[in-house]
Structure formats: C-alpha cells, structure tokens
Amino acid sequence: MAQPVIHTHQLTRKFGDFVAVNAISFDVQPGEIFGFLGANGAGKTTAMRILCGLLSPTSGEATVAGFDVYRQNEEIKKHIGYMSQKFSLYENLTVRENIQFFGGIYGLSRQELKEKTNNLIERVGLHDEADKLVGSLPLGWKQKISFSVAILHRPKIVFLDEPTGGVDPITRRQFWDMIYDAAHEGITLFVTTHYMDEAEYCDRVSIMVDGAIAALDTPAGLKKQFNATNMDEVFLQLARGAKRSDG
Amino acid sequence: MILMMPIIQLIVIPLAADYEIKQISISVVDQDHSPYSQKLVHKLTASGYFQLVEYTQSYAQASKTVNNGNTDLILTIPQHFERDLIKSNKAQLHLAADAVNGVRAGLGTAYAAQMIGDFNREVREEWMLLPKFNEIPQIEITSANWFNQHFDYHLFMVPGILAILVTMVGCFLTALNIVAEKEVGTIEQINVSPIKKYEFILGKLIPFWVLGMVSITLGMVFAFLIFRIIPVGSYLTIYAFSAVYLLGVLGIGLLISTFADTQQQATLFSFFCMMVFILLGGLYTPIESMPEWAQWLTRINPPAYFIKVIRAVFIKGSSFSDLIPDFLAMIGFAILFNALAVFNYRKRSA
C-alpha cells in the first residue's frame, strides 16, 4: 500500500476544558474519497482546520501530504485545497478575477492561469457569467466555482467542508460528478456532509461522535456492521448516543 | 463616501470651530453718567466686538440679565468715575463675565481690558495737550505675529485637519477592511493558501497607501478652493512626509485588525485611538501648554508629529532639512507598527 496522504494518531484539540477533537487516529489513502461524517458540533470542522494548518493541535500527531502539522504547516498549504463551510470567494470580484487572484496566490504562471481559467469556465458552463460579480450568482454555482478554485493548483488533497449545504438536488448531483472527476485525476478528497446519500458515494466513511471517531469503514462495511439497510440508520444509531449537540 | 466625510470635516470644522469671537453681549452698569463714562461705552460698542444689550444703573438688574443668559459681560462704571479719573488720576472699573463659556468669557474680558487700556491712553493724550503737570512714563507693548500675520484661524486649522483626515483614512479603512474579511470568511481562504505574511500585508498596504495619498491631494485641493490656503513650503516636502506617515498609520490599522474579530470591535478601537490622537495631537490645544506627562505622551503620538510638520510647511514654509528629526521619528513609527502587525498576524490560530 502506498504512503497515506493523511495520517493522524491520537490527534487532540482542546478549547479550555472542552475537548473538541478527542484522540482521533486514521489514515487516508491517495485518490480516495473520504467521507467525514458527524452531527453538528461533533468536531469535524475543528479536525479539518487542524489538518489544513489553520488551527494548532493540542496533542497527538498528524501529517498531511507527508508534512508535519506542527512544524510544516506552511508547506502543507502548498499541497492542499480547501473549501470552507462559509462561501469564501470575493463576492465583489468577478468569477474570472477570483480565479486569477487565487491562481496567482498559488504561483501559477500567466500562461497557465489563462488556460486554466478558460478551461474551468468551460467545464462549469459559465460562459455568460464569467465576468459577473460572484456575489450575484446563485449558491449552487458559487459552490461549483469554489470547488474549481480549490483544485485549480492541482493539490494532492482537497478538503471540502459541507460543500453541498443548502444546494438543490440537481446541483448536488453535478457537484458529485465534479468530485468524481477530481478523484479520477488522482486528487484525494476529504469531504464532510450531512447528506447520507452522499456518504454512500464515498470510498470510506468515518463517523465522529463527541469528538471521537465512532466508526470507520466502507459504506457497505458499516451497514453490515450496524445491521442497517442504509447509511441513515447507521448514522442515527451512532449519533443517538451523542452527549453533546448544538441544539 | 469615505473621501467625502473627511472633506466635509475639512470644510465645516474650520468655519465652525472658530475661536475668534465677535458679538459679545455686554451690559453696562453706569452709575456715573459722566461724559467720560459715555465715551468709554461708545468706544466699546464702536469696536464691533461688543453688542450693548443693556444700559442700566443697577447692578442687580444686569446680573439678572446674566442669569437669563442674555449677556456675557457686565461692565460697571462706579459713581465718581470721572471725578476720580481727573482728580486723583486714578479710577476703578469692574468687569464681570459669565464664565459658563470659558472661552467667550476669557476673550471678552481680554478685549474689554484692551479697549479700556486704549481709552486710558486716549484720555492721557488729551491731557498731554493741556499743560503738562506730570511726566507719565509710558510703556507700550507692540506685537508682531510672525508667519500668520492676521491670526487667521483657518490657516491654523486646515493643515491640522488635513493631517487628521489622512490618519482617519489610513487607520479606519485598513482595520475595517481586514476585519471585514474575517467576518465574511475570505481571510480563511487566504490563510489556507501558501501566501507569505508579508505578501498579504503588502497587498493590503499598497492600495490604502495610494488611497491615502489621493485623499491628501484632494484635501489640499479643497483647502485651496474653499479657504485659498496654499502651502508656503514645497509640495514635495508634504508628500514625502505624507508617504512615510501613511505607512505608520496603515501599520496602526493593520495592528488593530490583527486583534479585532468584528467590525464593531475594530470601529470602537479605531475611534478610541482617533480620540487620543486628536486630543494629544495638538490640533485644538497647543502641546506646549499641556501638563508635563501629557507632553511626554504626545512624543509617542504619531499624528502630533504630522500635524506639527504639515503646519510648519503650510504656514512657515519649513524645508525638509528643518524637519529631519520629525521625519526620522515617522520612519520609526512606520517600522514599529508594521513590524508589530506582521508579528501579530497569525495564519494559524493558536
């Protein structure tokens, strides 16, 4: 088996007395679509922010793309893409300007940028909207653009934090097609979601409860383990035991 | 919008906050009713600074008028004013001021005292023409106002407000801009990228620096259009100082943005800073008349330097070499604040 692209061992993050992430250990293999599930407040986003180098861990170890999260967090950033829960492109720039701005930050050359921008606009089907302000577009399109920008620099791993929250079923379907395309190109995808049908699309799924990983397997494996017919049941069985929720 | 606010200030403040006071209401309590007392009253009212609201014999009546707020000053001319003045060459007058508005009271008494002095001299001169009966040694104070000959208040205020304008544009905008990115979440997309801290900060500094330079240019245009104020010194000196000063101010804005999480916090804190900057900057009150400890504080207050410099260039025409110590201080501030901002900016939360 190849070197895992994400490796964590007993990774922990505390905020005062509150243990947001409690000693999680898992590996993600290259090219995998890794589903990271859990109820609101289970610690998914915190864990993801640590892996992206946005938050320091309290203890435990973790490497991303072979770089240590404690010392080499800036190195990690060159090899990952990140799409946060909040839409975070510049709403007062056009689609084209956003692509060029973020591409520029990742050090793409002028030639590459031009090519990729056109390529991206083509793929997402935004010919007419390319020069419109991002703020004026519907949410589904924004999310597709966000994702395309996150993989613009060909990262090894892309972290997607609830990428399809609030998006209609058709757009969600298209979004997952884009995720599959990226996976085919060899990009590893680390996805959080609340939609259990989406969990079925993942190669492997981990379910977090109260900051710890309660289960980790392929969707089929999980269903068998919990004697359930679909992922919904698996999730409910686990999440019911949760002591903390955001209400 | 953001440029209009300071420009309106630039126009309104010097016109409104004018310390030159005209139309001081005066009540005269004349208990003498002599030609000399009449002459004195006439002299006061003819000056244009005083407006006679009441001419009475009773002090009680006049003080009632003060209580009503209808007069600022009571001049009491006692009985036998003329007789004493002629006989013993000495007479007393009494001035009382409504000091609720201290500035008005102070200036009112000062003007009145000056005019009474004038009156005194005139009376003497009159007597001199008569056979001299004694030699009165006379000392007269003459004064000359250098650089601002007519004590033009606008000439004094406008450059100072120009300095505050640049400070506001620099400090507020930078702080708010970055904190807005924190609120919207775009800063996270930046922080997750491999961009270097100094690259990000330069990216924020340069546009606001340009905006600051534009605002000072606009400010000078308006200073000319409205107040006909043109710097006596060179524009180059003004721009050189503005360029360095702006870097310092932007640094302060950046520093604020590194520890404020919401725009409210940033606004409140910038506002607090601006108050201190203005009050300790010597815009309204001269630094030289502040207590020792406050004077010491002004030495670490960047706008104090800039207000001093810009006034010196505008009014005195100071050259760059006259102001080198201030220039060095500003470079120091620019380095200090930006270094602190870069140091305090975290791409990863602890």
Side-chain angles (χ1 to χ4, degrees), chain B residues 279-343:
Chain B
L279 292 176
L280 286 178
L283 178 64
Y284 294 109
T285 43
I287 289 172
E288 290 74 16
S289 59
M290 290 178 188
E292 188 84 21
W293 60 268
Q295 288 200 26
W296 192 85
L297 282 178
T298 63
R299 254 164 255 153
I300 51 169
N301 183 19
Y305 289 85
F306 193 55
I307 291 175
K308 180 188 149 200
V309 164
I310 202 163
R311 274 186 182 151
V313 177
F314 257 82
I315 305 173
K316 276 200 287 195
S318 297
S319 69
F320 187 80
S321 53
D322 295 332
L323 301 165
I324 282 178
D326 301 284
F327 194 71
L328 293 179
M330 283 187 196
I331 291 179
F333 282 125
I335 293 171
L336 175 72
F337 288 117
N338 285 295
L340 280 175
V342 173
F343 175 76

Side-chain angles (χ1 to χ4, degrees), chain B residues 4-268:
Chain B
M4 275 324 287
M5 282 192 307
I7 283 168
I8 290 172
Q9 275 194 324
L10 184 73
I11 296 169
V12 171
I13 293 179
L15 291 177
D18 195 330
Y19 281 147
E20 212 182 32
I21 289 179
K22 286 174 182 154
Q23 297 292 322
I24 296 169
S25 314
I26 189 166
S27 293
V28 174
V29 180
D30 190 352
Q31 293 161 341
D32 195 38
H33 285 291
S34 59
Y36 270 128
S37 76
Q38 305 270 338
K39 219 168 165 180
L40 176 61
V41 172
H42 179 75
K43 184 169 171 58
L44 288 176
T45 51
S47 68
Y49 283 104
F50 295 99
Q51 196 179 20
L52 188 66
V53 290
E54 186 176 34
Y55 186 80
T56 166
Q57 286 189 61
S58 130
Y59 189 79
Q61 169 63 34
S63 78
K64 214 164 134 197
T65 321
V66 172
N67 286 342
N68 295 339
N70 292 331
T71 191
D72 298 313
L73 217 57
I74 305 175
L75 173 68
T76 313
I77 304 170
Q79 245 180 328
H80 314 308
F81 169 71
E82 191 180 63
R83 197 187 69 194
D84 290 351
L85 192 64
I86 294 169
K87 270 198 180 159
S88 50
N89 200 12
K90 213 170 165 190
Q92 277 196 332
L93 286 168
H94 178 248
L95 266 178
D98 174 8
V100 171
N101 183 341
V103 177
R104 228 174 146 77
L107 279 168
T109 21
Y111 287 154
Q114 201 184 348
M115 270 167 224
I116 293 164
D118 267 1
F119 173 72
N120 192 15
R121 211 184 52 225
E122 281 168 22
V123 172
R124 271 190 202 139
E125 274 165 8
E126 233 171 86
W127 291 346
M128 297 288 215
L129 298 177
L130 303 174
K132 265 186 196 169
F133 42 83
N134 66 359
E135 197 80 27
I136 306 163
Q138 249 185 357
I139 299 169
E140 209 181 324
I141 302 166
T142 58
S143 66
N145 300 320
W146 283 16
F147 308 119
N148 187 355
Q149 273 106 348
H150 307 294
F151 253 136
D152 183 349
Y153 189 68
H154 300 156
L155 183 57
F156 176 70
M157 279 312 277
V158 169
I161 289 170
L162 208 57
I164 291 298
L165 181 158
V166 177
T167 313
M168 271 182 25
V169 169
C171 185
F172 269 77
L173 286 190
T174 331
L176 286 181
N177 177 276
I178 295 179
V179 175
E181 285 215 34
K182 281 191 190 178
E183 283 186 353
V184 177
T186 44
I187 193 117
E188 192 143 286
Q189 206 63 51
I190 297 287
N191 285 343
V192 83
S193 77
I195 194 169
K196 300 272 188 302
K197 284 208 275 187
Y198 74 87
E199 290 172 332
F200 174 75
I201 287 195
L202 275 180
K204 287 295 181 195
L205 275 184
I206 294 166
F208 288 115
W209 186 84
V210 172
L211 202 65
M213 294 304 262
V214 170
S215 78
I216 195 149
T217 310
L218 270 178
M220 286 197 287
V221 169
F222 276 86
F224 170 72
L225 287 180
I226 292 161
F227 300 106
R228 301 278 148 195
I229 292 173
I230 299 173
V232 180
S234 102
Y235 283 102
L236 211 63
T237 314
I238 293 177
Y239 277 112
F241 274 94
S242 306
V244 176
Y245 175 69
L246 256 172
L247 282 182
V249 173
L250 294 172
I252 295 172
L254 286 171
L255 189 59
I256 292 173
S257 76
T258 58
F259 52 76
D261 289 321
T262 63
Q263 295 197 51
Q264 278 104 318
Q265 283 176 7
T267 311
L268 219 63

Side-chain angles (χ1 to χ4, degrees), chain A residues 13 49 53-56 69-70 73-74 77-78 82 86 88-90 101-102 105-106, chain B residues 181-196 204 347-350:
Chain A
R13 170 70 209 205
R49 285 170 55 85
L54 286 170
L55 189 69
S56 302
V69 291
Y70 289 93
N73 59 318
E74 287 302 309
K77 289 173 183 170
K78 289 183 191 161
Y82 173 69
K86 266 184 176 174
S88 54
L89 297 183
Y90 287 93
F101 175 70
F102 283 104
I105 286 186
Y106 286 95
Chain B
E181 285 215 34
K182 281 191 190 178
E183 283 186 353
V184 177
T186 44
I187 193 117
E188 192 143 286
Q189 206 63 51
I190 297 287
N191 285 343
V192 83
S193 77
I195 194 169
K196 300 272 188 302
K204 287 295 181 195
K347 285 184 72 181
R348 173 157 78 169
S349 11

Side-chain angles (χ1 to χ4, degrees), chain A residues 11-38:
Chain A
L11 187 66
T12 302
R13 170 70 209 205
K14 295 178 186 166
F15 293 103
D17 288 337
F18 180 76
V19 186
V21 174
N22 192 359
I24 58 170
S25 306
F26 63 87
D27 287 332
V28 178
Q29 304 305 325
E32 213 177 359
I33 301 178
F34 190 85
F36 203 58
L37 273 55

Side-chain angles (χ1 to χ4, degrees), chain A residues 62-95:
Chain A
T63 59
V64 176
F67 299 105
D68 183 60
V69 291
Y70 289 93
R71 290 172 290 108
Q72 298 169 300
N73 59 318
E74 287 302 309
E75 218 35 61
I76 289 174
K77 289 173 183 170
K78 289 183 191 161
H79 298 96
I80 61 166
Y82 173 69
M83 182 177 162
S84 80
Q85 227 166 16
K86 266 184 176 174
F87 176 74
S88 54
L89 297 183
Y90 287 93
E91 303 229 333
N92 46 5
L93 295 182
T94 66
V95 176

